[in-house]
Amino acid sequence: MTLRHIEAVEWREDRHYDAERWPFTLPVVRQLASQRRFDIPAGVTVIVGENGSGKSTLVEALAAVYPRRGAQSPYVDLVGDHASLEDSPLPQLLRARTARMASPAGFFLRAEAMHAYFQRVDADQSQRRAWGGIELNARSHGESFLEVLRRRFNEVGVYFLDEPESALSFQSCLALLALLDTMRAEGSQVIVATHSPILASLPDASIYEIGDWGLRETTYDELDLVRSWRHYLADPGAFHRHLFERGDD
């Protein structure tokens, strides 16, 4: 089932900003300001880029402007504190274009703050009951993380994930990959910021790469991330010799 709940984000002409301040100095944000629109495909969109390129800033902004249910809905939790180093005024410059029958369900997952989220759930008896009485922090971080994904992603909607692989092993990344495929088949949209070549490998995902050029659509085999991993795994020793090279002094 191919659905687009959020069709695009558009740049607001009625808002002012300082182009010389972060995040408006990021090439991806400057491109968005210039083009005035970013169309969002159906299914899974994977956004890849180096640290500091702006991929988390972009995904957080998309999550902030998508109209979802009120704060009490279990499908609208912001996993993690509302303030982070990535938070920015960018959402104030954007508006979402949504389909007429867009789902109000959704979830924004910031993997870096999951531990604090687990603590809040474990400390609240009503929350514990909602999670079947399990204690999230009594499990491994990866196990608890996957439990959140399975329970919170069970309604068709729009889901935003910021580097979810940071808590996951190789096998758990494969489990998340299968979950993303199921969500897409059921009609959800998912926008993922990631460093993981596993998550980027999802068949038929739309892939975008962020860098000094801004934002560009690409393919899995053309990703710098994928080429770098392939070269490294083909001959780790060559990379180690270069990385650990010492001068003669």
Side-chain angles (χ1 to χ4, degrees):
M1 183 186 303
T2 302
L3 297 175
R4 290 174 74 197
H5 306 280
I6 180 170
E7 297 177 339
V9 288
E10 296 176 339
W11 196 265
R12 297 179 62 116
E13 303 290 348
D14 59 339
R15 301 291 174 88
H16 300 285
Y17 66 99
D18 184 349
E20 299 306 313
R21 296 187 64 184
W22 183 92
F24 307 107
T25 53
L26 293 170
V28 61
V29 177
R30 287 185 169 175
Q31 179 181 335
L32 185 55
S34 174
Q35 295 181 350
R36 302 301 196 200
R37 181 181 174 101
F38 172 45
D39 289 300
I40 301 175
V44 179
T45 298
V46 177
I47 300 175
V48 175
E50 285 293 332
N51 292 333
S53 64
K55 63 183 183 302
S56 292
T57 300
L58 178 60
V59 170
E60 289 190 4
L62 297 179
V65 300
Y66 182 69
R68 296 172 292 177
R69 292 186 181 128
Q72 298 307 310
S73 168
Y75 302 105
V76 193
D77 284 345
L78 171 63
V79 174
D81 298 331
H82 287 263
S84 81
L85 294 177
E86 291 287 357
D87 286 336
S88 78
L90 181 58
Q92 302 171 26
L93 278 294
L94 302 176
R95 65 163 59 91
R97 286 291 179 187
T98 60
R100 186 172 61 88
M101 299 297 289
S103 171
F107 194 78
F108 173 40
L109 186 149
R110 179 187 285 147
E112 66 184 21
M114 289 293 289
H115 181 69
Y117 177 72
F118 297 159
Q119 287 182 320
R120 291 201 302 272
V121 170
D122 290 345
D124 186 329
Q125 288 299 321
S126 62
Q127 287 272 2
R128 287 275 295 276
R129 286 193 294 271
W131 288 87
I134 64 174
E135 186 174 349
L136 294 175
N137 270 325
R139 300 182 172 195
S140 74
H141 193 60
E143 287 175 324
S144 295
F145 191 95
L146 285 176
E147 187 69 22
V148 170
L149 300 184
R150 294 187 184 105
R151 287 178 178 263
R152 291 305 202 212
F153 289 9
N154 60 359
E155 185 174 359
V156 171
V158 183
Y159 295 86
F160 304 88
L161 287 71
D162 185 16
E163 300 183 13
E165 71 278 2
S166 62
L168 302 178
S169 68
F170 179 85
Q171 293 296 331
S172 294
C173 275
L174 293 178
L176 175 55
L177 195 68
L179 178 59
L180 294 177
D181 184 58
T182 298
M183 294 169 65
R184 173 179 59 185
E186 292 174 345
S188 287
Q189 268 176 292
V190 188
I191 296 94
V192 186
T194 185
H195 292 292
S196 170
I198 298 175
L199 299 185
S201 72
L202 181 68
D204 299 321
S206 298
I207 301 176
Y208 292 85
E209 189 171 31
I210 292 179
D212 293 339
W213 55 82
L215 178 73
R216 66 187 179 197
E217 190 168 10
T218 187
T219 66
Y220 183 74
D221 289 328
E222 292 173 334
L223 280 173
D224 286 342
L225 169 75
V226 172
R227 289 200 295 261
S228 295
W229 270 108
R230 284 173 172 166
H231 290 159
Y232 178 81
L233 292 175
D235 188 2
F239 281 78
H240 297 166
R241 287 190 293 273
H242 175 74
L243 183 64
F244 307 139
E245 192 175 46
R246 300 288 186 270
D248 293 329
D249 53 358

